[in-house]
Amino acid sequence: MRISDFLVTDAINIDLKATSKREVLAELLQPLQKAGKLSDAKKMVEVLIEREELGSTGIGGRIAIPHGKSPQVKELSAVLGISKAG
């Protein structure tokens, strides 16, 4: 399996405006909900925040791979977001 198999290209955001973790997740998840991959972006934000509390999904170099399982997710999906401000 390759990331291109489940990356939702219409949801890619290369200019994130949010600055907090919660806001960034919400900004990333809204397009997934619009694309029909997710039933409730707000609930999924909570799932990802809970997962983050178990241990950071940061992998270094200011990169993170937030992930989680939830009935909100209709199928394996990924989105890419880049913050120009860091």
Side-chain angles (χ1 to χ4, degrees):
M1 179 180 290
R2 298 182 323 210
I3 193 165
S4 60
D5 295 336
F6 53 91
L7 179 65
V8 181
T9 55
D10 291 342
I12 293 173
N13 184 342
I14 60 168
D15 191 19
L16 291 169
K17 302 297 183 200
T19 56
S20 75
K21 188 180 298 187
R22 183 175 296 275
E23 291 170 343
V24 167
L25 292 172
E27 191 173 343
L28 289 171
L29 293 172
Q30 283 299 322
L32 283 182
Q33 183 172 330
K34 272 183 134 174
K37 305 294 184 180
L38 184 62
S39 62
D40 189 328
K42 288 181 182 181
K43 286 184 182 177
M44 193 62 199
V45 167
E46 296 308 317
V47 168
L48 295 177
I49 293 294
E50 285 178 22
R51 166 56 186 87
E52 196 71 18
E53 289 172 359
L54 297 174
S56 174
T57 59
I59 61 171
R62 296 173 26 173
I63 298 171
I65 306 175
H67 58 281
K69 288 184 180 182
S70 170
Q72 311 309 318
V73 178
K74 297 180 178 181
E75 62 186 78
L76 178 62
S77 304
V79 64
L80 170 68
I82 299 171
S83 170
K84 293 178 180 178

